[in-house]
Amino acid sequence: MKYGLTFDRPSNRYDQALPIGTGRLGAMVSGAVVDRLIWINEETVWYGGPRDRINPDAHTHIEKIKQLVREKRFQEAERLAVLTLTGVPESQRHYSTLGLVALSFINQQGEITNYQHQLDFETATATTQYMIEDVAYRMTVHANQPESALIIRLTASAPVLSFSAGIERGERVAQFSYGTHMDDIFRHQHNGLIMSGSCGGKNGLEYASALFAESNGRTYLLGDKVVVEEASEAVLYISAATTYNTEHVIEHVINQAIAARVKGYVACYQNHLDEWQPLYTSAGINLETTHSQALPSMNELFDAIENEQVAELDCVKQGMTEQALFDYLIMLLFHYGRYILLSCSRKCDLPASLQGIWSRDLLPVWDSKFTTNINLQMAYWSADSANMSECIEPYIQLAERIRESGLVTARRMYKCRGFVLHNNTDIWADTAVQDSGSHCSYWFLGGVWIAADMFEHFRYTKDTQFLQRIWPIMRDASLFVLDFMDETTDNHMVMGVTTSPENIYYDSDGQMVSFCEMSAMDAQLITLLLNDCVQATDILTESFGGFDADLNYITEVKRALTQIEPTKIAIDGTILEWSVEVKEAELAHRHSSQLIGAYPYNNITEHQPVLFKAVDMTVNKRMKDKSYRNGWGYAWGAGTLARLKRGNDAREMFIQLLENSCQPNLLSCCNISNIPKLLDTDKPMQVDGTIGMVQAVVELLLQSYNDDELQILPSLPDSWHTGSFSKLVARGNIVVDAQWHGGKLTEAVLMPRIDTAVTIVCQDDFYLVTPTDKVLSSKGKITARLSAGTTYQIYRA
């Protein structure tokens, strides 16, 4: 089944615009008719250059802060941290929109019929088409990775296409542009406009963007616009770059746009399809119940959801059940999430940020940085499992630069070996503390989490060359915690000061605080990474004859592993979030930090039934108090429920995301207000929840674990009774296809990319067919060795 987004009424609303991207370039294509906006971005348009923000008082006060925490004087510790740990200045650099292309049409004031504004995932093309009187108009926009250009094609069924196009950077209201942030705009003799300027700030980058036009009518320049008159076809070629990685940036963007124009639209579009389609079609899921020809437009659907009138939709009245409609939307979310990650994280320099390459503001919400206490990591949970491993490279490159910066920060702030990263970073891999919120800023394990993610990628690929590359990240993240942690009087290792991002509790004085000596999240993350490091040293020794670390390193790591307290259970049976019994101040908190060992990682599984039950009770408690409340929160919760084998509850959480934390264009958002630069629905957009839902869906269909166990259809919701998936990937680099009927697996195919051993688990007994044998499972389980390049079939017994 083909998936995409469709709107059936004109709109310039940003939350109904359609995102496209090359990885480096992005655009949001609106669906207006007469005055049409296309917001454009380039990944390296950030305000300001690199700088030293390390608080000079950190190293002389960190021990005092820890002492105050030991004495349970949490408010004093937090006040001192604000003064002595916060970056100077407080904020890192922020992302900034490149600008927009403004199209103004004439002769289009008549009645509009047959209107459609569509995004086709399979072709990564946004199309707007309609009729006025007897003339058919059409605009297609795609982000062309091979040509590194945004390309807009406009056509009319008669030579009446007349419009002006401009490129600008600022805030636009109706036909007026306010506070423009471009230093220059000049005209090129070949019907081109070039916008250039400074991204701003000390040592800031320079940017440039070019727009070149051609048509089969009259094409010429007037003022700062390119004008097309009486054409039946026109094409705009847009390029952009900054001095982040391009020296002569103006000359560069001119050459790029002209090269695309010389190649021509037809050749450019074919190159785009040849590059995009193998990536997008590399994995897929289909449900039998979602096949329908009467699906509503996204604007109609979200109007119905908002007004609680889904039952009044035509597709429901014509026989499609609400259940089937929401299952279709969940499938749409899965394919859209893959589309979004592929669009913002392929063949580029930077990973997905909070708004990705689709921010519309000069100063975006939360700066559109890389938030490292959930948001950055979540964007990459599905990169391997949903067969998009090429998307991870920008994340790896940022991790390498974070390590370099964090080595300095760890030494100067805390006198520690290794590297540290707190809760945010930016284009320059700034590792000093961001913001001054005791609930979020003074958390020291951003680097540990990223290092663990690097090893997770190895778990999927088993690429020892990659492991050798990222070993310094793992080693140095572990060295930091080995130095930063303190030994308690009862011989345990604790951070001494930390938080459970971004939660709060009541201290003994009834005051809301966040600081503690050790949190469940920290204990789980540190244990995860240290175990990863032990495993990595064994693999590196076997593969390359050794690993780069001090001879005492492994002894330190193994000793620390015996001293870190395991995850504990509270009196009410839930996971103990702050490692001691406290009164929670926000029962419905959006983060699931204390459950990180259960999901996205798998250090707490059903093989630890006592802890697994405590995870289950923790989720129940959060769900009872209506937690999660935003896009990435729902994605985190849904994935955890899938791991708990609660497929129906996970499906319900997908629906809650759609109802509460999705824009009409399916980009997720936070249900939060009273902050600047909100979108049209008063909810700030973020891409992480949309992408995060991909992994949550995968977990319903395929789960793989560190002990080489692979579970097929472990958490299938009841309504997903018949369907199939293709080319999902399990840890151990095993590609899996599967089909099921009546909620039962009928057939699966395993295609290992390397030689590996695996334990296959299904609901019912099955046959594993190898090239030489046919083996019957025992209680739905078989352990087998698989050979690279060989196909293994599974049939229900």
Side-chain angles (χ1 to χ4, degrees):
M1 181 175 181
K2 291 190 68 173
Y3 289 94
L5 306 181
T6 299
F7 294 86
D8 63 7
R9 65 184 179 217
S11 174
N12 249 337
R13 287 177 64 102
Y14 195 79
D15 60 0
Q16 295 184 20
L18 304 175
I20 58 171
T22 70
R24 190 177 66 83
L25 296 176
M28 287 286 271
V29 183
S30 80
V33 173
V34 177
D35 293 304
R36 193 174 307 168
L37 301 180
I38 300 173
W39 293 269
I40 59 174
N41 281 296
E42 201 275 352
E43 63 170 342
T44 60
V45 177
W46 287 67
Y47 176 89
R51 56 191 172 156
D52 180 356
R53 296 176 47 255
I54 294 174
N55 193 315
D57 297 308
H59 73 278
T60 56
H61 289 84
I62 186 63
E63 291 306 320
K64 177 63 175 177
I65 293 168
K66 287 185 174 183
Q67 179 184 343
L68 290 170
V69 172
R70 284 194 298 272
E71 296 171 356
K72 303 189 186 311
R73 295 157 64 185
F74 301 114
Q75 295 175 68
E76 294 177 62
E78 291 178 4
R79 284 195 293 267
L80 186 58
V82 168
L83 295 172
T84 62
L85 301 186
T86 305
V88 182
E90 181 177 316
S91 183
Q92 295 167 347
R93 297 305 196 185
H94 67 81
Y95 186 62
S96 189
T97 185
L98 175 63
L100 55 86
V101 173
L103 302 176
S104 182
F105 294 83
I106 60 173
N107 301 326
Q108 295 201 21
Q109 280 74 31
E111 181 185 0
I112 298 169
T113 59
N114 299 330
Y115 176 91
Q116 281 194 325
H117 183 51
Q118 295 178 309
L119 176 63
D120 183 338
F121 300 165
E122 192 169 319
T123 63
T125 304
T127 302
T128 307
Q129 57 189 2
Y130 51 90
M131 292 193 70
I132 298 177
E133 296 179 351
D134 58 348
V135 179
Y137 294 92
R138 181 182 176 92
M139 179 182 78
T140 59
V141 188
H142 74 274
N144 193 301
Q145 209 288 325
E147 271 65 57
S148 194
L150 303 171
I151 302 179
I152 304 169
R153 181 175 183 253
L154 303 110
T155 62
S157 58
V160 295
L161 185 64
S162 299
F163 66 93
S164 65
I167 186 169
E168 60 190 57
R169 187 165 189 250
E171 306 284 341
R172 174 163 279 268
V173 179
Q175 72 268 39
F176 301 108
S177 181
Y178 292 96
T180 56
H181 285 246
M182 52 188 177
D183 296 328
D184 198 5
I185 187 162
F186 58 91
R187 309 192 313 191
H188 191 279
Q189 60 180 338
H190 297 298
N191 293 324
L193 301 170
I194 293 86
M195 174 181 71
S196 65
S198 169
C199 296
K202 184 177 180 181
N203 300 319
L205 299 167
E206 301 292 318
Y207 73 86
S209 182
L211 182 156
F212 280 77
E214 64 179 4
S215 80
N216 61 3
R218 294 193 300 275
T219 308
Y220 55 94
L221 297 170
L222 282 180
D224 62 352
K225 302 291 188 294
V226 60
V227 178
V228 172
E229 292 181 341
E230 297 179 350
S232 59
E233 180 181 12
V235 184
L236 307 178
Y237 301 89
I238 302 160
S239 61
T242 75
T243 48
Y244 181 81
N245 50 21
T246 303
E247 186 175 358
H248 304 292
V249 66
I250 293 176
E251 179 181 339
H252 177 78
V253 298
I254 292 173
N255 290 340
Q256 278 188 317
I258 290 178
R261 191 175 70 172
V262 169
K263 187 166 290 185
Y265 179 81
V266 172
C268 285
Y269 191 62
Q270 188 60 54
N271 288 348
H272 160 68
L273 294 178
D274 291 344
E275 186 267 342
W276 169 262
Q277 290 186 323
L279 299 173
Y280 175 74
T281 59
S282 64
I285 304 172
N286 277 298
L287 299 181
E288 183 182 72
T289 56
T290 65
H291 291 211
S292 173
Q293 302 302 313
L295 297 169
S297 65
M298 299 307 293
N299 49 277
E300 182 185 9
L301 174 67
F302 274 82
D303 284 348
I305 289 174
E306 183 177 356
N307 296 313
E308 299 182 354
Q309 295 179 340
V310 173
E312 300 303 312
L313 291 169
D314 286 343
C315 64
V316 177
K317 289 181 177 180
Q318 293 169 9
M320 187 180 196
T321 65
E322 291 187 37
Q323 184 181 72
L325 174 61
F326 278 104
D327 281 337
Y328 163 76
L329 290 172
I330 294 168
M331 291 298 98
L332 188 62
L333 271 174
F334 171 82
H335 292 89
Y336 188 50
R338 291 188 75 252
Y339 170 89
I340 290 294
L341 185 61
L342 286 165
S343 296
C344 71
S345 191
R346 78 184 193 276
K347 299 179 182 177
C348 54
D349 291 313
L350 299 175
S353 64
L354 289 177
Q355 280 82 43
I357 46 174
W358 299 294
S359 173
R360 70 173 182 181
D361 298 312
L362 294 165
L363 177 57
V365 176
W366 298 301
D367 297 345
S368 193
K369 295 195 298 296
F370 308 106
T371 300
T372 53
N373 65 15
I374 177 59
N375 311 90
L376 173 63
Q377 291 90 341
M378 177 178 284
Y380 290 90
W381 291 352
S382 63
D384 286 307
S385 65
N387 214 356
M388 302 180 288
S389 292
E390 54 275 297
C391 291
I392 294 180
E393 180 60 27
Y395 186 19
I396 299 167
Q397 291 182 19
L398 180 63
E400 290 171 328
R401 293 193 296 117
I402 285 169
R403 172 187 167 267
E404 294 176 7
S405 170
L407 288 168
V408 177
T409 303
R411 184 179 70 252
R412 288 176 52 193
M413 286 190 71
Y414 309 118
K415 303 300 181 185
C416 291
R417 295 173 297 171
F419 82 93
V420 65
L421 170 66
H422 302 91
N423 72 324
N424 267 277
T425 190
D426 62 13
I427 186 174
W428 307 113
D430 187 336
T431 52
V433 174
Q434 161 71 30
D435 296 328
S436 57
S438 58
H439 65 300
C440 62
S441 300
Y442 314 106
W443 179 71
F444 309 88
L445 297 191
V448 171
W449 196 343
I450 286 174
D453 272 359
M454 297 299 106
F455 195 69
E456 282 300 300
H457 181 52
F458 170 76
R459 290 188 195 279
Y460 276 94
T461 65
K462 298 297 183 179
D463 182 348
T464 55
Q465 294 287 341
F466 169 75
L467 181 60
Q468 189 177 47
R469 174 185 173 185
I470 56 99
W471 168 245
I473 299 171
M474 297 177 62
R475 177 199 63 209
D476 290 343
S478 67
L479 284 172
F480 171 75
V481 294
L482 291 173
D483 279 8
F484 191 87
M485 286 193 297
D486 297 327
E487 191 167 334
T488 64
T489 55
D490 58 356
N491 200 37
H492 287 127
M493 298 294 288
V494 297
M495 288 294 288
V497 58
T498 189
T499 63
S500 184
E502 301 171 0
N503 211 348
I504 53 178
Y505 65 95
Y506 291 106
D507 66 9
S508 58
D509 296 325
Q511 300 297 313
M512 288 190 294
V513 296
S514 295
F515 279 13
C516 64
E517 284 193 273
M518 195 67 160
S519 63
M521 181 188 205
D522 284 19
Q524 291 170 21
L525 269 179
I526 293 169
T527 300
L528 173 68
L529 177 63
L530 295 185
N531 278 314
D532 288 349
C533 287
V534 172
Q535 186 175 347
T537 57
D538 291 343
I539 296 168
L540 291 170
T541 298
E542 181 180 349
S543 300
F544 303 104
F547 57 92
D548 183 13
D550 182 89
L551 292 176
N552 296 320
Y553 169 77
I554 287 298
T555 301
E556 283 188 80
V557 169
K558 290 181 176 179
R559 180 174 180 270
L561 281 169
T562 66
Q563 293 180 282
I564 298 171
E565 279 192 300
T567 301
K568 294 185 286 187
I569 299 174
I571 293 173
D572 65 359
T574 63
I575 297 295
L576 201 59
E577 185 164 358
W578 287 275
S579 76
V580 295
E581 293 284 350
V582 298
K583 181 183 178 182
E584 295 183 64
E586 190 179 351
L587 297 179
H589 187 64
R590 60 197 175 275
H591 282 248
S592 301
S593 301
Q594 75 273 40
L595 305 182
I596 192 172
Y599 183 75
Y601 303 110
N602 53 77
N603 286 10
I604 301 174
T605 71
E606 53 204 312
H607 298 303
Q608 295 93 38
V610 175
L611 277 179
F612 202 61
K613 181 179 178 181
V615 171
D616 191 69
M617 293 185 70
T618 305
V619 174
N620 286 342
K621 183 178 179 181
R622 288 285 174 87
M623 290 173 66
K624 178 182 177 182
D625 290 294
K626 298 181 180 179
S627 186
Y628 307 110
R629 297 182 306 169
N630 55 53
W632 55 263
Y634 286 121
W636 204 347
T640 308
L641 286 164
R643 284 282 178 87
L644 290 166
K645 308 302 189 283
R646 294 170 58 179
N648 290 334
D649 290 332
R651 178 186 176 278
E652 179 60 32
M653 196 155 283
F654 295 141
I655 295 172
Q656 290 180 33
L657 176 136
L658 288 161
E659 292 177 336
N660 302 319
S661 295
C662 250
Q663 306 289 354
N665 59 12
L666 286 191
L667 290 174
S668 62
C669 57
C670 283
N671 295 358
I672 198 167
S673 58
N674 300 320
I675 58 175
K677 301 295 184 186
L678 292 174
L679 293 183
D680 305 278
T681 54
D682 295 331
K683 297 176 183 178
M685 179 270 282
Q686 293 179 199
V687 301
D688 40 34
T690 300
I691 303 173
M693 277 298 179
V694 175
Q695 183 60 24
V697 172
V698 170
E699 295 289 343
L700 295 172
L701 305 176
L702 181 70
Q703 294 179 14
S704 57
Y705 292 86
N706 298 350
D707 61 359
D708 300 319
E709 185 171 283
L710 186 161
Q711 301 180 7
I712 304 175
L713 305 184
S715 303
L716 198 67
D718 291 341
S719 66
W720 297 14
H721 50 78
T722 301
S724 64
F725 67 76
S726 63
K727 297 182 177 60
L728 300 183
V729 183
R731 290 173 176 84
N733 215 344
I734 304 170
V735 181
V736 184
D737 293 353
Q739 298 178 27
W740 65 93
H741 182 78
K744 301 291 186 179
L745 179 71
T746 56
E747 180 181 358
V749 177
L750 307 186
M751 296 161 281
R753 291 166 171 162
I754 61 169
D755 294 345
T756 188
V758 65
T759 297
I760 307 162
V761 179
C762 297
Q763 298 167 313
D764 303 298
D765 275 332
F766 60 93
Y767 289 103
L768 175 65
V769 181
T770 74
T772 59
D773 204 356
K774 180 179 179 180
V775 184
L776 178 64
S777 68
S778 174
K779 296 181 180 179
K781 183 181 291 189
I782 286 179
T783 298
R785 290 205 61 84
L786 308 181
S787 300
T790 302
T791 298
Y792 298 83
Q793 292 182 310
I794 291 172
Y795 297 101
R796 191 169 72 209

